[in-house]
Amino acid sequence: MASANTELRRRCLGQAKRIVIKVGSSLLAESPIGQPAAIADELARLDPSIELIVVSSGAIALGLPVMGIAQRPEQLPLLQAAAAIGQSRLVQNWERAFGVHQRHIAQILLTGDGLNHPERFTNAQNALAALLKARIIPIVNENDTVATTEITFGDNDELAALVCNLVSADALLIYTDVNGLHDADPAKGGKRIPIVTDIETQARPFASSESSSGLGQGGMVSKVISAERAAGFGVPTLILPGRERNILSRALACEDVGTLFVPKSRN
Ligand code: GLU
């Protein structure tokens, strides 16, 4: 008989066709070409009816070296300038990765604030729907020139949850540089939490701003907030170790990887 873990994974991911993948700054800074390539290669091997929307950070991480800045600065205008420089490089990397498989991409820049505006929300929704219908892969980032929300906190985690609502996603996959949420520091024997059915009691107490590289402003706190937001839209979230091989296929095959946040409607 299937375990409760497997059963919940089947319920949340077994039929998922429209998937939002959020890739964090640290993964893209470490592997600016390899990480997009790994995702594009995997998508090419999956069921062709799967639709992908990528929420990609990494513009600042790719822009800072061009400005000759080694350490992430505090000043927002410098970070915004780096994002403006890095964004085109970031999108080129995604374009090349998917291009190998004859798939086209589109750049979408959004702000959380803009999405609070009903007309703008509908405009974004219509544009994304048209792209998905044409089998184009949207690559979404925050418009860092006009908004600094995700630079300050979240590294696009919240934006990813909002995108799930925009496209009526079946699942949100957050690629990160850790194995998932742990019940204590993994370096001190903390264990991965495979399933969260109640965020308040099973996730919040264990979320700390652990983030190994310091390149993004994410950490587990913003991922848990994002999972809660997505759950509010009825969308399950899976926090995954983005560096692991075939992680997308394994996640969609309902293997016991990462931490799955189950929305109330699927409990
Ligand atoms: N939009 C930002 C980026 O792409 C978010 C991540 C960050 O703060 O580094 O770089």
Side-chain angles (χ1 to χ4, degrees):
M1 207 179 86
S3 69
N5 181 350
T6 309
E7 181 48 39
L8 284 169
R9 282 173 189 265
R10 276 193 198 144
R11 221 180 281 166
C12 290
L13 303 163
Q15 304 298 320
K17 293 284 182 235
R18 185 169 285 188
I19 294 156
V20 174
I21 294 186
K22 186 259 160 173
V23 190
S25 292
S26 55
L27 288 177
L28 284 162
E30 181 189 280
S31 185
I33 296 171
Q35 182 72 61
I39 293 175
D41 293 350
E42 267 203 274
L43 182 71
R45 292 197 299 270
L46 285 169
D47 173 351
S49 65
I50 288 181
E51 295 173 314
L52 193 64
I53 300 95
V54 178
V55 177
S56 176
S57 308
I60 293 175
L62 292 181
L64 285 175
V66 179
M67 299 176 81
I69 301 175
Q71 290 287 324
R72 186 180 170 104
E74 296 274 318
Q75 301 95 312
L76 280 174
L78 277 182
L79 292 166
Q80 291 172 280
I85 296 165
Q87 180 63 25
S88 63
R89 293 169 178 242
L90 181 68
V91 167
Q92 279 174 43
N93 289 345
W94 285 107
E95 189 155 41
R96 274 195 218 109
F98 284 110
V100 169
H101 303 285
Q102 290 75 49
R103 296 293 304 266
H104 297 293
I105 63 145
Q107 171 182 261
I108 299 275
L109 297 176
L110 297 171
T111 66
D113 192 35
L115 296 178
N116 285 330
H117 193 287
E119 194 185 322
R120 292 183 188 179
F121 182 93
T122 307
N123 288 342
Q125 198 171 41
N126 291 342
L128 281 159
L131 288 168
L132 292 173
K133 197 165 172 216
R135 291 190 43 79
I136 308 288
I137 299 161
I139 310 290
V140 183
N141 199 351
E142 185 175 56
N143 185 341
D144 295 319
T145 310
V146 297
T148 55
T149 317
E150 300 283 344
I151 297 181
T152 315
F153 174 74
D155 187 31
N156 282 344
D157 288 335
E158 187 179 3
L159 185 67
L162 300 179
V163 169
C164 286
N165 186 32
L166 261 183
V167 301
S168 303
D170 296 323
L172 168 61
L173 271 46
I174 300 183
Y175 279 39
T176 184
D177 53 3
V178 288
N179 282 335
L181 181 66
H182 290 77
D183 60 7
D185 183 349
K188 294 179 187 144
K191 298 236 161 19
R192 175 176 61 94
I193 301 171
I195 296 275
V196 171
T197 51
D198 183 71
I199 291 180
E200 201 51 48
T201 57
Q202 298 167 354
R204 222 177 262 288
F206 306 113
S208 72
S209 51
E210 62 186 79
S211 174
S212 56
S213 68
L215 278 164
Q217 300 294 301
M220 278 300 154
V221 178
S222 70
K223 285 172 185 54
V224 169
I225 294 171
S226 170
E228 189 164 37
R229 201 83 194 260
F233 301 128
V235 178
T237 297
L238 185 56
I239 298 179
L240 285 173
R243 289 191 194 106
E244 278 192 24
R245 272 177 69 81
N246 300 327
I247 196 67
L248 176 57
S249 327
R250 290 167 62 198
L252 297 181
C254 306
E255 275 188 34
D256 180 22
V257 286
T259 300
L260 176 67
F261 292 76
V262 184
K264 291 246 170 330
S265 52
R266 315 267 185 111
N267 262 333

